[in-house]
Amino acid sequence: MGRVVARVSGPQKPEDVLLDVFALAFLTIIIAAYTANVGLYLSIALGVIDGVLFIMMLRRIVTATFTEDGLVIGRGGRRGRVFIPRDVVVAGNVVCIEWDPRDRSYRMRVAYGGRVYTISLMNKRLVDKMVDRLRRNWGWAPPECPST
């Protein structure tokens, strides 16, 4: 692997992560309320559920790392990493950027090897920074996704 050019990460489906955060907060409040009243075993069980929800939430995060050699897609830890060579990314229309007017956010879509990875990019500044670094280092910028 070469030097890192740009790295972006985000949830594959932001609405699912938001639901997990609400469930996590709700269980944390329940643990705080019942610790003194109900007992130790219930608070331990709720704490374990809380931890499992947190780990599930982290596993939904997708990271795209552009290096000098290519693109590395990772999903929630070391498992499931995919390396795509730079030439394939540039010539093969593997990566594209799309604007979603429903939730007013940008998404980067990576389609490779029969799989489609979607990374929610929360603001235009992040997109512009990534595109600028790719232009400088790769001489290429991701195109807009074709409308479906």
Side-chain angles (χ1 to χ4, degrees):
M1 289 294 158
R3 179 178 59 89
V4 173
V5 173
R7 178 178 291 143
V8 292
S9 64
Q12 188 146 10
K13 293 183 178 178
E15 57 275 5
D16 290 347
V17 173
L18 186 62
L19 182 66
D20 285 348
V21 168
F22 283 139
L24 199 64
F26 180 72
L27 282 174
T28 305
I29 291 170
I30 288 175
I31 290 171
Y34 283 118
T35 301
N37 298 336
V38 174
L40 182 64
Y41 295 115
L42 181 62
S43 65
I44 290 173
L46 289 173
V48 167
I49 293 170
D50 211 12
V52 168
L53 273 174
F54 183 70
I55 291 170
M56 285 172 54
M57 185 176 68
L58 288 179
R59 290 200 175 270
R60 289 191 183 147
I61 301 294
V62 178
T63 304
T65 306
F66 293 91
T67 66
E68 291 176 335
D69 304 327
L71 170 64
V72 179
I73 300 289
R75 293 187 56 180
R78 287 206 171 274
R79 288 185 4 187
R81 281 191 170 182
V82 176
F83 176 75
I84 308 167
R86 177 179 168 176
D87 298 338
V88 174
V89 174
V90 172
N93 286 334
V94 173
V95 177
C96 64
I97 304 287
E98 68 181 344
W99 166 254
D100 188 3
R102 290 175 295 177
D103 60 357
R104 300 175 57 131
S105 68
Y106 287 91
R107 290 195 173 111
M108 184 174 78
R109 198 172 357 158
V110 180
Y112 182 74
R115 306 243 2 211
V116 176
Y117 303 96
T118 305
I119 301 173
S120 295
L121 306 170
M122 296 303 162
N123 59 28
K124 175 106 171 89
R125 186 172 161 224
L126 179 66
V127 174
D128 291 341
K129 187 176 178 181
M130 178 188 69
V131 168
D132 182 52
R133 287 184 178 180
L134 287 172
R135 273 196 187 116
R136 268 189 283 134
N137 292 290
W138 283 19
W140 171 83
E144 280 189 32
C145 293
S147 49
T148 55

